Amino acid sequence: MLKINSLSKSFDRGKTFALKDVSFELEKANVCAIVGESGSGKTTLVRLISGLERPDHGSIELDGKTISSLRKIIPPEKRKIGLVFQEYALFPHLTILENILYGVSKQKNKKERAKEVLELVGLTSLEKRYPHQLSGGQQQRVALARALAPNPSLLILDEPFSNLDAMLRMQLRNQVFEIIKKTGVTALFVTHDTQDALSVADEILILQEGEVIQKDGAANLYTKPNSVYVASLFGNTIQLTNTLQEAFQCPLNIDCCHAIRNENFNINTECEYISHATVIKKTFLGETVQLLLKLDNGEQLSVVTKEKNVAERIRIGFDSKDVLEF
Amino acid sequence: MKKLILLSAIVLLTACKNDKSGNENRPATESEGQVVNVYTHRHYEADQELFRMFEEKTGIDVQVVNANADELIQKMSMEGEQSPADVLITVDAGRLTRAKEQGLLQPIESEILENAIPSHLKDEDNEWFGLTKRARIIAYVKDRVNPEELSTYEDLASDKWNDKVLIRSSGNIYNQSLLASLIAHNGEEEATTWAEGMVENMARTPRGGDRDQVKAIVAGEGDLAVVNSYYIGKMLNSSDPEEAATAEKVRLFFPNQEGRGTHINVSGAGVAKHAPNKENAIRFIEFLASEEAQEIFANSNYEYPVLEGLEPAQTLQEWGEFKEDTLNLSVLGDNNKEAVLIFDEAGWK
Amino acid sequence: MKQVGSRGIFSIGSRLQRLKRDSNRWSIFTLAIILFIALPIISIAIKLCDGPGETWGHVVDHLLLDYIGNSLFLVFFCGILVLLLGVSSAWFVARYEFPFRKQMEWLLILPLAIPSYIVAYTYAGIFDYGGTLDLILRVLDLEFIRVDIMNKTGLAFILGISLFPYVYLSARAFFINQANNLLEASTMLGVGEVKTFFKLMLPLARPAIIAGLILVLMEVLNDYGAAKYYGVNTFTTGIFRSWFSLEEPDTAVYLSALLIVIVFALILFEKWQRRNVEVSSSKSNNHRIHRKRGSKGMQVSILCFVLIPVALGFFIPVLQLIYWTFLTAGKVFDMDFIMLSVQSFGIAIISALITVFFAVLLIYFAKWSMLSFFKNIAKMGILGYAIPGAVIAIGVMIPTLAFDKWLIHFLDDWFNIHTGLLINGTLVALVYAYSVRFLAVAYNPIESTSLKVHSTIPDSSKVLGVGNLKTFFKIEFPLIKAGIFSALILVFIDVLKELPLTLILKPFHINTMAVKAYQYASDEMVMEAAIPSLFIIFTAAIPVIFLNKLLIRK
């Protein structure tokens, strides 16, 4: 459905690459999340796919048609891609209805289509208002409706929730992806928030400094990250250094890099590898407590536990099945 | 988009056409003899009146481009054969000579002009003709300067006038022509020394126009001002009573009366080389040299008529007669560039 | 992992391939417009190849130092004066509430309506012997104080009081729209007004202020009328002198080239000082400034302070002109005068429309071209502003005459039609020259409002399947209307005031007020110049007031 091959883009004639040799494919009706920190090239990727920017190298295919290559570029207006911007980019001088009608003005049953998507996002009552009269969440949904109205082959959402506060964000995220699933559109969803990605995406693509690090299903990414970086994106991860390995007396393959998730440390329970430690500092975090520990060989370690009442001396350990190997 | 561009082009073209009832921008090709195109540096009300009189008398429409003579000359030389100009009028002979040298004028045969205009006031090849005279004179404040001490232009550069002389900048054509005449009479070297001496004697760095020099001497910034005669005439008859009162306080001195005479310059006209309406152009210049036109020049602009035997304006008569330098005015043009260079070298701003 | 060698991607071959891929019709249109606008400048540049004229050595030996010295003197002192007047008045008007503040807001822009050479004439008239000051002192029975204004210090003063509104406008826009959050933060920290202004506002407003200052300095370097009258030799008077008095266009072109280098240096300096202070302005979550109301005494003193630049730059010259008008009214005012005013007005409107049209095309065509370096190429179109009007006029004559001559032969040979010059000496050439000269004046406000429209807005339109042109008319045009109106007004005023270019290129039977005023003044009939000057001022003042409304509205 969407096929990207060896895409590269540099804004300074090759000194640095915003995107370097990116290739991946996306199946029809799937939702793929693109995760990366700011500056990792997510937005550039989106702009290249939608045709707003032009690649220096590589090609893009959509529905079996080449829409971007070194020879030919289909302009954005002919790509049939829906795009929801981070800033929503609603036309400020047009009403909500006019905004939605904008992309379907050539269709026959445009009025019906507009009503349909408005209903889909549940904003029928607001069609006569102007964008500035709407709340952030409502604007977001209008932007989505506008992008969906022309029935795009691919829907791209560029950091759609980053301008919203935490409560609204969760609520809206679920709403939006319900709508997306309902319409069955193929979607690319760009975010720097792994929580967003894990909860809604069929597949996740990790970008770092313009390169694809890993692409996999959500569960696999969590359990089998292919680098410390990916592992740490999805929760606190502690790298098992040599001194830590000594403290726990776990002999691991020295050619590999090892790490363990914070939550896989067990306190005062039986484990394969165990060390004794002194609690130096306890920080109350609500559901959990963060402990700063001093292991017996002098190494310091910070772990999070649900155990509220821990003694000053504790036993801490983990199992070999939880060790991540890269 | 293309339509828009086209549309605006059409609008513009029609706009140009509409503004003059049937006559095109270059009206001459049909040569119905209905127009004469005048490039003129003069923009006096008197001229407007004369143009109207000419139109009434002959039925020939006078179309005017009004600009600085230098710019007009550039314009004509760039337009070349296609130039619509029939007549070039400037306010000094130097520019006319320059136009002649650049091949922008043509000789004409006109008995009227030959008879009317003294030979030193016209081009030897009849390419241009002087129409009005102005004398470059010394104005002084009577209670500070004894007119007996005044004598010649050359004398102004002598030590006794140190910090007393006011004169405008070297960019001014009247000064350029004055220096050009000094080069012709005394040679380049003496002219240079003169310019340097003048710079020494200046009461202030040159600025403003001729009227400003006159006001400045009355205000006491200096004692002598070198200015064109007609400016004083105009000041005396100014709409501003203050200005007239100022002019009353100065007296005129015509220099070099003992020798070659006071430096004069003319405002004059020539027929353009590629004039589309040559006959009209000649008639036009002949009209300007006619008695009725000359009277208007003299009376409303305080210039001296070139036509001999004509009474100058009342104000001019009060100043009395003077002997004028009969150097052929073509020389002013020949020496102009040299004069400009000398000014710069002497540091005359 | 595969390695993509950056060398492969950026080899000349693949670069050319991308160039071919990414050039579209908009790129070609952009180039066409740039060429059209740059044609006069290119014609002059070609003349540069002829080498300097014979007198170049003479100019270098005797005049160049004077030109450079005076021009720098003017740039420096006029710069300081416009900063003092412009920034302080902008701050007071934006920050404080005082009586007549609303009126002051637009009165402070009005000096822009008076051509600086006219200001120069009026001040010379005021300080003259027997001038207005003299008269007033005599009435009051006081000793005459001779103020010598006709020198370079005086010229810096004149240019300063007539050009400071450029700085006032840009500084005020910053203070009103972008300063509030920081201002409040500073007040909360207990920092006093004075310190807040100097330590916080001034450094922050610097890019805005300098942008206005650059405009002023370009005008200063371009001034001809005032410098000539006050006897100050600058680059521009030097260009006129060597072109016309020394008859050496080649030397004049060399001087122009030097002047352009100076202007370039100014533009680069502006870019450099702006380098770290990007965007931040586009987010409009800043509230408009909250005005402070001081004590009665303070309010009155602010009013008096703000009145100083208004009086200097507007009221005093206008009163002088009105006085002169009383002395000369009957002489100048007649039917011709009404025709003249209609023509001036019409020419200014047509030129403004066409110039703004070109500016919009240039900005948007460059945007639509997918070649990123085209945005920089488009900027070249605005260089005309840096070049003196007279030089542009000559630059316009060279190619239009060549085209005309070709056209005459062409029509004659093929259609047997005999015509004269169709472009030169008509409104077409004049309006063309105005467009070249004032493109920057239109370009800047349009560009800055178009930057305020976030790029995702037109992007969304395109992604929704709407092409560039339709996107422009449906989305961008309604959003940048204010910028387009400001551009129209600014060009209108500039055309109304423009002098040397008009002198050279205007057609027969067409005259403008500026030309008329100059002709009177250059013939030492300054008083007769008063009526046409007043006409320019009042015709320009009305749109200026309107402009103020546009700029204040958000």
Side-chain angles (χ1 to χ4, degrees):
Chain A
M1 147 83 220
L2 175 70
K3 196 166 161 191
I4 284 169
N5 186 24
S6 188
L7 212 55
S8 293
K9 174 76 186 173
S10 168
F11 290 102
D12 49 12
R13 294 165 186 232
K15 265 178 242 150
T16 57
F17 278 83
L19 220 53
K20 196 167 178 185
D21 202 22
V22 168
S23 306
F24 70 91
E25 285 181 31
L26 180 60
E27 292 299 317
K28 198 163 178 63
N30 267 8
V31 174
C32 173
I34 298 171
V35 176
E37 298 164 321
S38 54
S40 61
K42 293 171 304 198
T43 300
T44 307
L45 181 57
V46 166
R47 293 180 67 81
L48 289 178
I49 295 174
S50 54
L52 297 168
E53 211 75 66
R54 306 212 155 183
D56 292 327
H57 190 74
S59 63
I60 304 170
E61 271 177 46
L62 185 64
D63 281 338
K65 262 196 316 193
T66 303
I67 56 170
S68 175
S69 72
L70 209 49
R71 269 181 201 80
K72 195 168 157 48
I73 297 266
I74 306 281
E77 59 265 30
K78 301 213 170 101
R79 288 193 176 189
K80 298 203 71 173
I81 288 176
L83 180 52
V84 177
F85 286 97
Q86 186 175 1
E87 306 84 358
Y88 319 139
L90 298 178
F91 307 131
H93 60 301
L94 301 181
T95 64
I96 302 310
L97 186 63
E98 287 168 336
N99 260 283
I100 290 170
L101 279 172
Y102 190 83
V104 291
S105 55
K106 283 183 199 136
Q107 291 180 12
K108 265 179 275 160
N109 51 348
K110 52 185 177 184
K111 280 269 158 61
E112 288 78 41
R113 179 63 187 153
K115 299 269 181 212
E116 205 176 297
V117 287
L118 264 177
E119 207 166 307
L120 192 67
V121 298
L123 290 173
T124 315
S125 58
L126 301 178
E127 61 173 47
K128 295 232 163 61
R129 303 240 183 127
Y130 283 90
H132 66 267
Q133 297 169 310
L134 266 53
S135 73
Q138 287 168 332
Q139 291 188 27
Q140 171 64 261
R141 281 185 284 160
V142 174
L144 179 67
R146 186 179 69 178
L148 284 173
N151 274 319
S153 324
L154 174 71
L155 177 71
I156 305 176
L157 300 110
D158 186 5
E159 301 262 9
F161 309 119
S162 62
N163 283 345
L164 302 170
D165 56 56
M167 281 287 282
L168 194 58
R169 179 186 183 115
M170 200 128 80
Q171 208 184 335
L172 200 67
R173 184 174 70 203
N174 294 335
Q175 270 178 14
V176 164
F177 282 93
E178 235 165 75
I179 295 166
I180 288 173
K181 281 290 169 197
K182 218 189 280 177
T183 56
V185 68
T186 316
L188 260 185
F189 166 49
V190 174
T191 182
H192 62 270
D193 186 321
T194 48
Q195 227 39 56
D196 277 352
L198 286 174
S199 56
V200 297
D202 301 312
E203 287 175 296
I204 297 173
L205 181 93
I206 313 284
L207 273 182
Q208 189 190 15
E209 287 172 10
E211 294 186 66
V212 177
I213 306 279
Q214 193 172 8
K215 177 174 178 277
D216 220 328
N220 271 349
L221 265 182
Y222 189 77
T223 50
K224 291 190 194 119
N226 67 359
S227 62
V228 184
Y229 176 75
V230 175
S232 60
L233 276 178
F234 297 93
N236 275 334
T237 311
I238 288 153
Q239 201 172 344
L240 290 173
T241 56
N242 285 339
T243 41
L244 271 183
Q245 286 177 28
E246 271 167 33
F248 287 98
Q249 292 157 5
C250 61
L252 295 166
N253 185 352
I254 48 165
D255 293 335
C256 297
C257 197
H258 300 275
I260 187 156
R261 293 204 183 278
N262 207 323
E263 68 212 37
N264 289 336
F265 279 107
N266 297 315
I267 289 164
N268 296 339
T269 41
E270 278 310 317
C271 291
E272 273 176 66
Y273 308 112
I274 284 170
S275 173
H276 290 275
T278 316
V279 178
I280 307 173
K281 192 180 166 198
K282 267 197 259 186
T283 314
F284 181 63
L285 296 175
E287 274 182 49
T288 55
V289 176
Q290 186 180 36
L291 302 176
L292 184 61
L293 305 176
K294 188 172 187 180
L295 300 181
D296 284 355
N297 72 342
E299 197 71 2
Q300 287 200 357
L301 184 65
S302 169
V303 295
V304 177
T305 174
K306 289 198 171 159
E307 197 81 28
K308 299 274 159 61
N309 304 310
V310 277
E312 203 172 311
R313 282 294 288 178
I314 56 164
R315 200 169 45 148
I316 181 162
F318 57 88
D319 292 319
S320 60
K321 68 171 171 55
D322 293 327
V323 174
L324 305 168
E325 190 180 285
F326 314 108
Chain B
M1 194 70 38
K2 275 180 201 155
K3 276 185 205 154
L4 271 174
I5 297 175
L6 202 68
L7 196 73
S8 43
I10 291 169
V11 168
L12 267 175
L13 281 170
T14 41
C16 316
K17 287 194 173 175
N18 285 345
D19 58 60
K20 56 186 86 104
S21 55
N23 276 319
E24 298 305 329
N25 302 304
R26 189 186 140 88
T29 22
E30 294 84 357
S31 71
E32 291 167 43
Q34 287 309 318
V35 284
V36 59
N37 299 324
V38 182
Y39 280 19
T40 175
H41 187 162
R42 289 174 60 100
H43 16 73
Y44 306 120
E45 300 303 316
D47 292 44
Q48 303 291 332
E49 197 186 328
L50 284 170
F51 297 163
R52 259 194 297 272
M53 281 170 63
F54 179 72
E55 282 175 347
E56 272 165 29
K57 235 177 128 162
T58 61
I60 297 170
D61 196 16
V62 182
Q63 305 209 44
V64 182
V65 171
N66 236 326
N68 190 308
D70 291 324
E71 289 152 10
L72 291 172
I73 290 172
Q74 276 290 339
K75 192 173 160 86
M76 283 172 75
S77 81
M78 284 188 156
E79 287 164 347
E81 282 178 38
Q82 268 70 38
S83 175
D86 292 312
V87 178
L88 173 72
I89 302 180
T90 74
V91 291
D92 75 307
R95 252 77 159 256
L96 285 167
T97 315
R98 186 186 292 176
K100 177 191 173 189
E101 280 165 5
Q102 293 190 11
L104 300 175
L105 303 177
Q106 58 173 314
I108 53 168
E109 279 172 33
S110 159
E111 236 172 86
I112 301 178
L113 291 175
E114 294 222 5
N115 293 336
I117 299 167
S119 63
H120 69 280
L121 300 179
K122 68 179 178 66
D123 177 51
E124 50 194 2
D125 301 320
N126 288 335
E127 294 204 11
W128 57 260
F129 301 89
L131 293 171
T132 64
K133 288 186 289 188
R134 45 280 287 278
R136 199 134 183 87
I137 53 94
I138 300 171
Y140 62 94
V141 185
K142 61 174 178 197
D143 42 356
R144 266 180 273 145
V145 177
N146 178 1
E148 276 166 25
E149 283 187 57
L150 291 164
S151 56
T152 59
Y153 296 110
E154 286 83 349
D155 176 60
L156 289 177
S158 70
D159 286 343
K160 72 176 166 199
W161 301 114
N162 202 359
D163 283 341
K164 297 221 162 55
V165 181
L166 286 173
I167 187 163
R168 65 199 282 189
S169 80
S170 62
N172 175 252
I173 189 75
Y174 306 133
N175 282 346
Q176 291 170 9
S177 289
L178 174 61
L179 184 59
S181 81
L182 284 162
I183 295 171
H185 287 299
N186 305 334
E188 200 182 319
E189 217 166 291
E190 264 185 57
T192 311
T193 326
W194 178 79
E196 284 162 359
M198 285 293 281
V199 173
E200 278 291 301
N201 285 355
M202 284 179 194
R204 62 174 192 187
T205 48
R207 72 193 67 151
D210 278 5
R211 291 188 198 215
D212 296 306
Q213 315 306 322
V214 175
K215 288 180 190 172
I217 55 168
V218 176
E221 281 198 55
D223 291 343
L224 305 175
V226 180
V227 293
N228 273 5
S229 52
Y230 67 97
Y231 282 117
I232 299 193
K234 284 187 162 187
M235 286 177 82
L236 285 169
N237 297 283
S238 169
S239 333
D240 183 357
E242 283 302 316
E243 196 170 74
T246 308
E248 297 284 356
K249 296 186 183 140
V250 300
R251 294 285 174 273
L252 270 68
F253 180 82
F254 291 90
N256 297 61
Q257 289 300 304
E258 306 289 305
R260 61 180 187 260
T262 300
H263 167 72
I264 55 153
N265 203 333
V266 291
S267 164
V271 175
K273 175 77 172 269
H274 305 289
N277 312 294
K278 187 178 170 185
E279 291 310 310
N280 293 351
I282 297 174
R283 277 178 81 182
F284 180 71
I285 299 177
E286 283 173 353
F287 168 76
L288 293 180
S290 71
E291 213 163 292
E292 57 179 327
Q294 288 283 310
E295 257 171 25
I296 290 176
F297 275 136
N299 282 325
S300 55
N301 217 32
Y302 312 102
E303 293 172 281
Y304 291 95
V306 286
L307 215 57
E308 274 162 6
L310 211 63
E311 288 274 291
Q314 185 62 35
T315 314
L316 303 193
Q317 286 180 34
E318 284 165 17
W319 296 337
E321 302 224 336
F322 69 98
K323 177 181 172 189
E324 68 185 49
D325 185 355
T326 53
L327 178 74
N328 190 298
L329 294 179
S330 308
V331 177
L332 305 184
D334 300 338
N335 291 346
N336 176 277
K337 191 164 173 179
E338 210 175 332
V340 174
L341 296 182
I342 290 176
F343 275 137
D344 287 341
E345 279 158 33
W348 189 318
K349 302 284 179 198
Chain C
M1 184 165 281
K2 264 189 306 180
Q3 277 297 314
V4 179
S6 58
R7 196 174 294 152
I9 296 181
F10 288 93
S11 66
I12 292 172
S14 52
R15 267 191 207 187
L16 282 178
Q17 203 169 16
R18 278 197 300 275
L19 188 72
K20 194 177 151 220
R21 177 193 74 182
D22 293 344
S23 36
N24 51 20
R25 55 193 167 135
W26 308 118
S27 325
I28 296 163
F29 288 165
T30 314
L31 273 186
I33 293 181
I34 290 284
L35 267 182
F36 180 64
I37 291 297
L39 200 56
I41 304 166
I42 293 170
S43 311
I44 286 175
I46 290 171
K47 267 193 164 278
L48 265 184
C49 302
D50 298 350
E54 284 168 39
T55 49
W56 177 243
H58 169 83
V59 170
V60 172
D61 288 346
H62 300 288
L63 304 168
L64 195 60
L65 260 180
D66 204 29
Y67 294 163
I68 294 176
N70 286 341
S71 292
L72 290 183
F73 177 92
L74 288 176
V75 161
F76 184 73
F77 285 99
C78 186
I80 288 180
L81 186 61
V82 294
L83 286 180
L84 285 178
L85 294 177
V87 177
S88 64
S89 53
W91 175 247
F92 284 124
V93 163
R95 176 67 173 146
Y96 297 97
E97 198 56 67
F98 56 87
F100 303 109
R101 185 187 55 77
K102 279 236 153 71
Q103 288 72 21
M104 283 302 145
E105 269 182 356
W106 55 264
L107 279 172
L108 278 162
I109 318 180
L110 280 188
L112 278 190
I114 316 183
S116 47
Y117 57 89
I118 291 178
V119 181
Y121 297 148
T122 56
Y123 273 91
I126 291 167
F127 291 122
D128 221 350
Y129 178 78
T132 317
L133 180 71
D134 190 10
L135 261 180
I136 294 171
L137 292 174
R138 230 180 300 157
V139 170
L140 299 175
D141 216 15
L142 293 169
E143 190 75 8
F144 176 53
I145 320 157
R146 175 86 188 162
V147 182
D148 187 9
I149 191 154
M150 292 175 78
N151 49 45
K152 59 183 173 183
T153 319
L155 183 60
F157 168 77
I158 294 293
L159 294 173
I161 59 170
S162 61
L163 296 172
F164 80 87
Y166 285 113
V167 171
Y168 162 75
L169 280 174
S170 53
R172 187 186 66 169
F174 176 87
F175 292 142
I176 289 186
N177 292 327
Q178 284 165 38
N180 194 51
N181 287 357
L182 291 159
L183 203 57
E184 281 176 354
S186 174
T187 321
M188 297 301 285
L189 288 168
V191 178
E193 282 290 304
V194 178
K195 195 173 166 195
T196 303
F197 176 74
F198 283 103
K199 291 265 163 186
L200 188 67
M201 288 296 113
L202 216 46
L204 281 171
R206 200 191 59 193
I209 293 171
I210 292 191
L213 182 65
I214 295 282
L215 274 182
V216 172
L217 298 186
M218 285 214 221
E219 291 276 359
V220 167
L221 289 173
N222 250 335
D223 169 72
Y224 173 65
K228 179 132 196 251
Y229 191 62
Y230 279 22
V232 179
N233 292 326
T234 63
F235 263 101
T236 304
T237 63
I239 289 167
F240 270 80
R241 186 189 178 97
S242 43
W243 193 300
F244 298 118
S245 289
L246 295 174
E247 286 179 85
E248 291 235 339
D250 303 337
T251 302
V253 168
Y254 262 65
L255 281 175
S256 313
L258 258 179
L259 182 59
I260 292 169
V261 169
I262 295 181
V263 175
F264 253 116
L266 285 174
I267 293 170
L268 284 180
F269 169 72
E270 199 250 352
K271 279 244 172 292
W272 172 82
Q273 62 95 22
R274 231 196 243 240
R275 72 203 178 285
N276 291 330
V277 212
E278 273 312 326
V279 197
S280 75
S281 56
S282 64
K283 299 247 155 129
S284 53
N285 52 2
N286 235 318
H287 293 284
R288 300 194 68 162
I289 198 164
H290 185 79
R291 289 203 178 83
K292 252 183 109 140
R293 193 181 287 274
S295 65
K296 263 264 133 37
M298 186 162 156
Q299 287 188 27
V300 172
S301 28
I302 289 177
L303 176 65
C304 293
F305 183 88
V306 174
L307 266 173
I308 296 173
V310 178
L312 289 177
F314 189 75
F315 286 128
I316 294 177
V318 168
L319 285 174
Q320 177 69 35
L321 288 171
I322 290 175
Y323 170 64
W324 277 339
T325 301
F326 274 119
L327 295 177
T328 59
K331 271 198 208 168
V332 182
F333 199 82
D334 54 14
M335 269 313 284
D336 285 355
F337 187 84
I338 294 168
M339 266 310 291
L340 196 64
S341 46
V342 172
Q343 283 174 351
S344 282
F345 196 79
I347 291 174
I349 284 190
I350 293 177
S351 312
L353 284 173
I354 289 176
T355 309
V356 167
F357 179 66
F358 277 129
V360 170
L361 292 191
L362 196 57
I363 290 170
Y364 282 92
F365 284 2
K367 265 191 197 178
W368 299 338
S369 161
M370 291 308 291
L371 299 166
S372 50
F373 62 90
F374 260 62
K375 283 170 193 91
N376 292 327
I377 292 188
K379 286 249 177 219
M380 293 184 14
I382 66 176
L383 284 180
Y385 199 60
I387 301 172
V391 179
I392 295 225
I394 306 293
V396 164
M397 287 195 83
I398 299 169
T400 52
L401 268 171
F403 178 74
D404 264 343
K405 284 178 184 166
W406 173 82
L407 197 66
I408 286 167
H409 285 293
F410 176 79
L411 290 175
D412 197 14
D413 292 351
W414 292 86
F415 302 103
N416 213 12
I417 300 171
H418 300 279
T419 54
L421 302 170
L422 288 176
I423 294 179
N424 213 279
T426 68
L427 270 185
V428 180
L430 183 63
V431 172
Y432 175 32
Y434 283 141
S435 316
V436 173
R437 170 99 170 83
F438 295 126
L439 195 67
V441 176
Y443 189 95
N444 288 332
I446 298 176
E447 196 202 21
S448 67
T449 40
S450 83
L451 286 178
K452 275 185 205 141
V453 176
H454 200 282
S455 69
T456 56
I457 300 248
D459 282 352
S460 323
S461 167
K462 276 169 215 167
V463 172
L464 286 167
V466 176
N468 284 322
L469 274 180
K470 208 171 155 202
T471 298
F472 175 76
F473 285 113
K474 293 202 124 182
I475 303 296
E476 280 159 320
F477 180 75
L479 296 176
I480 61 165
K481 254 189 307 196
I484 288 182
F485 273 122
S486 314
L488 276 175
I489 290 172
L490 288 171
V491 178
F492 174 82
I493 295 169
D494 266 329
V495 170
L496 212 56
K497 288 166 25 177
E498 165 58 45
L499 184 63
L501 186 160
T502 321
L503 281 175
I504 300 176
L505 290 176
K506 80 181 182 61
F508 287 121
H509 274 214
I510 286 194
N511 222 337
T512 70
M513 284 294 169
V515 170
K516 195 81 186 159
Y518 172 77
Q519 285 172 350
Y520 279 127
S522 68
D523 262 356
E524 306 202 15
M525 297 195 275
V526 175
M527 284 178 285
E528 281 80 355
I531 291 184
S533 303
L534 281 176
F535 171 85
I536 297 174
I537 293 166
F538 287 114
T539 318
I542 295 159
V544 160
I545 295 167
F546 188 62
L547 178 71
N548 178 59
K549 290 231 159 75
L550 273 183
L551 293 176
I552 293 221
R553 204 176 56 194
K554 214 182 164 185

